[in-house]
Amino acid sequence: MMNGFMRNKTCGELRASAIGANVQLCGWVDRRRDHGGVIFIDLRDRSGTIQITVDPEQGKDLFGIAESLRNETVLQIHGLVRARPDEAINKKIPTGEIEILAEQIKILNAVTNTLPFSVSIHDDDENIKEELRLKHRYLDLRREKMNNNLKLRHKTVRAARSFLENEGFIEVETPVLTRSTPEGARDYLVPSRVCGGEFFALPQSPQLFKQLLMVGGIERYYQVARCFRDEDLRADRQPEFTQLDIEMSFMEENEIIELNEKLIVSIWKTIKGIDLPTPFPRMTWQEAMDRFGTDRPDTRYDMELVETSDLFSKSGFKVFSNAISSGGCVKCITIEDGNNLISNVRIKPGGDIFSEAQKAGAGGLAFIRVRDHEEVDTIGAIKDNLTTSQIKELILKTNSKPGDLILFGAGPTNIVNRTLDRVRQFVAKDLKIISDNELKTQWNFLWVTDFPMFEFNSDENRLEAIHHPFCAPKPEDIGESESLWKDKLPNSNAQAYDLVLNGLEIGGGSLRIHNSELQKTVLEIIGLSKNEAEEQFGFLIDALSMGAPPHGGIAFGLDRIVMLLSNEDSIRDTIAFPKTQQARCSMAKAPANVANKQLEDLHIASTWIDPD
Ligand code: ASP
């Protein structure tokens, strides 16, 4: 081996132009094949793989080492780059025209344990259990797919940083040990040893600190910020996740939206080489709810919700007319060619589509099959209560054709919306309305704007902020008279916006309240007493009364963005060391028990009783 360095080339970078060169490489044995006297080793490092050929003529010792190699052994190899014979050229890999004739092989580290799964680029990874992958994440990361995902994540962050820095943003770190920030989830708490009986909360987002940075005159801030939310986990949720967090002063809502749109465009250009068309479409929250039943509609396909309450308000079909008379609505979606594609079994009780509706809170799922322009098939009570003119009007209104299936939701508007949204997504997926190819290439961005400031929390019998209680209301909704704010705020919209991509929320933000009186009124509306407001947010209110500039911002879910850019289905595949769905790190075995002494030092005791 040549001394003074470990390697002078990487496995993936060599091409035919290097033929004749002596090179020294390091890497892992991806696989070893014995071919009638000659041994081939695919040597892999981060940059790719290359074939190493070990010829018995090079000596017994060398051949002996090659014969003994197990997969994933770490090697250093010295050898000569040479052309492969024509029949051995492998067009599938970039180094496929050449091979290295090994002259020396040194084992840098042997594999002494059984590998729980194969790392080789040649093996299909789809069947490796995620449990195993997470337990041995260091091996999983060695796999090409995960290695590429982390590289892509890095490039995404780099693209964002470079855009923001060109726009004059500076990165500032905010505390991880802080107090509760209300983003609507449960906090992770950290007991304080020094201040006995008191707890820090890990930030659900840097929201208040970034606002205070604006009061601090920073004007343009960003941070790749770790956020912590103790929530029940779903496929795209993690207890700790990363936001690309941004805040700026002296910008109108529209300016903030446009700037962030440019940021997204530059990320997509860098990562995908795509010029996204701008401006991205925009839709108010109300329109999104009316047309799609959700504030994050997937606009890659139609199947929109159609309001049919007026048509059925006097209907003899009591389920419909009662829903309307008690303040709810009747809406429907039309599934093109649904008569062929979807059987009654699936939409009647017990069927999979019916059960989707049920999971969203619906009591039933009425349906109509359009036969021709005025003939429909129905079952149950709806059948006897439809007049011909209602049918005609329905067909017209839903723009449906013979062969289409119309599914109805009736009841309180929020449940109807939730039901039809869920059914719409389920059916679209089931019928593959978006082809597999489109799934990977279609980028439907949408800004959803004009969110209401509050929604009613019936469990707690109070209004709560839809985003967080620092969003500024639309000035025209509250007017200028301070004395009317309290009355007007509950029905006001916020200067808030979410960025939705293919039905997933990838970012959200707002202009913030920069007037201390207005902030106090909002805190009062969500049910905080004067004392509570002072205790929890006194520092913010003080800051707002000492020359806070108008400001606003946004936070993007970095893990989700990388998931979409890498065509993964789970954010776990975009995070180096994610938690399992039980919110654990199965590799490091965290969380874990701690010694009683540690608890004593922290002035706390566990009340946990092991069920076993
Ligand atoms: N802090 C907000 C969130 O985490 C984002 C923002 O309003 O900028 O959703």
Side-chain angles (χ1 to χ4, degrees):
M1 297 287 168
M2 286 187 243
N3 287 327
F5 54 84
M6 290 289 282
R7 60 178 174 184
N8 62 358
K9 291 288 171 203
T10 57
C11 299
E13 74 176 304
L14 295 170
R15 298 289 180 273
S17 56
I19 290 170
N22 270 298
V23 295
Q24 197 158 302
L25 303 171
C26 291
W28 289 265
V29 175
D30 190 73
R31 63 172 177 171
R32 187 194 52 147
R33 285 159 297 141
D34 295 3
H35 269 240
V38 180
I39 293 177
F40 296 110
I41 302 161
D42 289 340
L43 192 70
R44 185 191 66 238
D45 67 13
R46 195 180 84 172
S47 63
T49 59
I50 189 156
Q51 177 169 295
I52 312 291
T53 306
V54 188
D55 198 312
E57 283 175 17
Q58 301 286 104
K60 253 200 187 144
D61 290 352
L62 186 76
F63 202 74
I65 297 178
E67 271 184 319
S68 74
L69 293 176
R70 293 172 58 181
N71 286 357
E72 298 312 309
T73 303
V74 192
L75 298 184
Q76 187 182 33
I77 281 185
H78 190 91
L80 177 72
V81 183
R82 68 178 193 189
R84 290 201 202 184
D86 282 351
E87 66 281 8
I89 287 178
N90 180 356
K91 292 228 167 68
K92 286 193 208 131
I93 55 169
T95 60
E97 283 182 48
I98 52 171
E99 61 185 4
I100 313 282
L101 179 64
E103 286 160 3
Q104 292 177 59
I105 299 178
K106 183 173 171 189
I107 295 180
L108 298 177
N109 208 351
V111 171
T112 53
N113 214 330
T114 316
L115 295 172
F117 52 83
S118 165
V119 175
S120 172
I121 58 163
H122 298 282
D123 287 325
D124 179 13
D125 55 34
E126 297 310 315
N127 296 326
I128 311 172
K129 281 215 178 82
E130 195 183 24
E131 217 180 292
L132 267 188
R133 288 176 47 206
L134 292 180
K135 186 157 182 234
H136 303 277
R137 190 60 155 183
Y138 40 86
L139 276 186
D140 192 34
L141 294 179
R142 222 182 273 164
R143 293 188 314 121
E144 195 182 27
K145 182 179 101 152
M146 287 306 301
N147 217 288
N148 285 342
N149 286 356
L150 290 191
K151 285 183 203 155
L152 188 141
R153 184 180 175 110
H154 163 73
K155 279 191 197 152
T156 306
V157 173
R158 197 177 55 184
R161 282 207 158 98
S162 134
F163 175 88
L164 289 167
E165 280 162 20
N166 282 337
E167 291 287 337
F169 286 78
I170 62 168
E171 182 162 18
V172 183
E173 290 153 271
T174 53
V176 168
L177 292 178
T178 175
R179 64 176 301 144
S180 181
T181 45
E183 299 278 1
R186 204 176 274 129
D187 288 318
Y188 276 97
L189 296 177
V190 181
S192 167
R193 179 182 59 83
V194 180
C195 308
E198 293 181 320
F199 293 80
F200 290 106
L202 304 183
Q204 292 187 30
S205 85
Q207 184 60 35
L208 291 178
F209 287 102
K210 68 173 170 172
Q211 289 191 230
L212 293 166
L213 286 172
M214 295 304 106
V215 185
I218 297 302
E219 292 192 21
R220 292 191 156 205
Y221 141 97
Y222 81 95
Q223 183 179 194
V224 180
R226 195 64 57 79
C227 304
F228 305 86
R229 297 185 190 176
D230 187 1
E231 295 177 298
D232 294 329
L233 303 191
R234 289 190 247 128
D236 64 347
R237 289 270 169 90
Q238 279 280 300
E240 57 176 307
F241 61 97
T242 307
Q243 284 186 344
L244 176 60
D245 194 42
I246 299 172
E247 195 77 2
M248 61 208 97
S249 299
F250 306 122
M251 297 273 276
E252 300 282 359
E253 180 175 2
N254 199 36
E255 292 177 284
I256 298 183
I257 290 183
E258 279 175 4
L259 184 115
N260 282 291
E261 201 163 292
K262 284 198 191 123
L263 164 66
I264 293 292
V265 166
S266 93
I267 292 177
W268 254 254
K269 180 74 185 171
T270 311
I271 304 293
K272 291 276 174 190
I274 295 173
D275 290 302
L276 293 174
T278 54
F280 297 164
R282 293 187 198 180
M283 193 182 285
T284 64
W285 176 88
Q286 190 59 55
E287 188 182 345
M289 296 309 283
D290 290 346
R291 288 174 53 193
F292 299 94
T294 172
D295 56 8
R296 45 187 157 82
D298 191 337
T299 50
R300 287 175 298 179
Y301 52 94
D302 296 333
M303 239 199 288
E304 289 188 19
L305 280 55
V306 176
E307 167 83 53
T308 49
S309 300
D310 52 346
L311 220 152
F312 294 112
S313 59
K314 294 195 180 63
S315 151
F317 183 40
K318 286 284 171 273
V319 176
F320 283 6
S321 54
N322 286 348
I324 299 159
S325 63
S326 47
C329 68
V330 176
K331 290 168 94 169
C332 63
I333 55 173
T334 301
I335 301 165
E336 211 182 318
D337 201 23
N339 288 352
N340 270 331
L341 299 169
I342 292 173
S343 65
N344 277 3
V345 178
R346 302 186 63 190
I347 41 185
K348 289 204 302 196
D352 59 344
I353 299 178
F354 184 94
S355 97
E356 285 302 310
Q358 239 176 0
K359 281 182 209 152
L365 186 65
F367 62 89
I368 286 177
R369 292 185 181 280
V370 182
R371 294 298 172 200
D372 71 26
H373 290 289
E374 41 188 72
E375 266 295 308
V376 295
D377 278 355
T378 60
I379 53 168
I382 190 171
K383 189 179 173 84
D384 313 319
N385 286 292
L386 278 179
T387 64
T388 314
S389 80
Q390 275 173 333
I391 294 171
K392 275 189 187 166
E393 217 181 312
L394 178 72
I395 291 176
L396 201 71
K397 214 167 179 179
T398 53
N399 204 9
S400 45
K401 299 181 304 306
D404 290 353
L405 167 67
I406 306 178
L407 299 176
F408 290 90
T413 307
N414 60 345
I415 294 184
V416 169
N417 279 339
R418 210 187 305 144
T419 305
L420 293 182
D421 166 42
R422 187 164 177 143
V423 169
R424 175 178 177 268
Q425 291 192 51
F426 182 82
V427 169
K429 210 168 176 188
D430 183 71
L431 299 182
K432 291 202 182 244
I433 285 185
I434 315 167
S435 69
D436 286 347
N437 183 39
E438 281 169 337
L439 271 179
K440 298 198 167 105
T441 54
Q442 210 173 331
W443 306 105
N444 278 34
F445 286 92
L446 174 74
W447 287 106
V448 178
T449 63
D450 298 47
F451 281 76
M453 285 284 286
F454 306 101
E455 66 189 343
F456 189 67
N457 179 330
S458 49
D459 293 341
E460 293 176 23
N461 194 28
R462 66 171 183 99
L463 287 178
E464 67 184 2
I466 285 205
H467 275 94
H468 48 62
F470 317 110
C471 297
K474 293 259 169 196
E476 62 272 26
D477 289 355
I478 54 161
E480 289 191 359
S481 160
E482 244 184 82
S483 59
L484 295 178
W485 283 350
K486 201 168 163 205
D487 296 332
K488 290 195 164 178
L489 270 168
N491 297 314
S492 297
N493 284 337
Q495 299 184 70
Y497 32 81
D498 275 2
L499 184 59
V500 176
L501 170 55
N502 297 347
L504 283 180
E505 182 202 325
I506 60 164
S510 62
L511 286 210
R512 324 298 183 188
I513 296 171
H514 62 276
N515 173 309
S516 58
E517 288 311 311
L518 185 56
Q519 185 63 73
K520 281 191 217 162
T521 314
V522 167
L523 295 175
E524 194 183 329
I525 288 173
I526 60 168
L528 292 191
S529 70
K530 272 207 170 66
N531 283 346
E532 286 167 335
E534 178 53 36
E535 160 69 20
Q536 293 174 36
F537 302 111
F539 65 106
L540 173 70
I541 292 166
D542 280 353
L544 295 184
S545 62
M546 295 187 199
H551 61 284
I554 196 164
F556 292 102
L558 181 69
D559 313 292
R560 254 187 221 174
I561 289 181
V562 176
M563 173 181 93
L564 292 163
L565 285 170
S566 57
N567 295 317
E568 293 291 357
D569 294 325
S570 159
I571 59 169
R572 290 189 295 279
D573 286 337
T574 71
I575 299 173
F577 298 103
K579 304 284 181 286
T580 64
Q581 282 193 300
Q582 285 71 44
R584 288 185 163 279
C585 172
S586 55
M587 184 185 67
K589 299 208 174 68
N593 289 324
V594 293
N596 277 337
K597 171 79 172 70
Q598 278 177 295
L599 293 182
E600 274 165 29
D601 286 351
L602 293 169
H603 322 284
I604 56 172
S606 172
T607 58
W608 173 252
I609 298 166
D610 206 325
D612 307 328

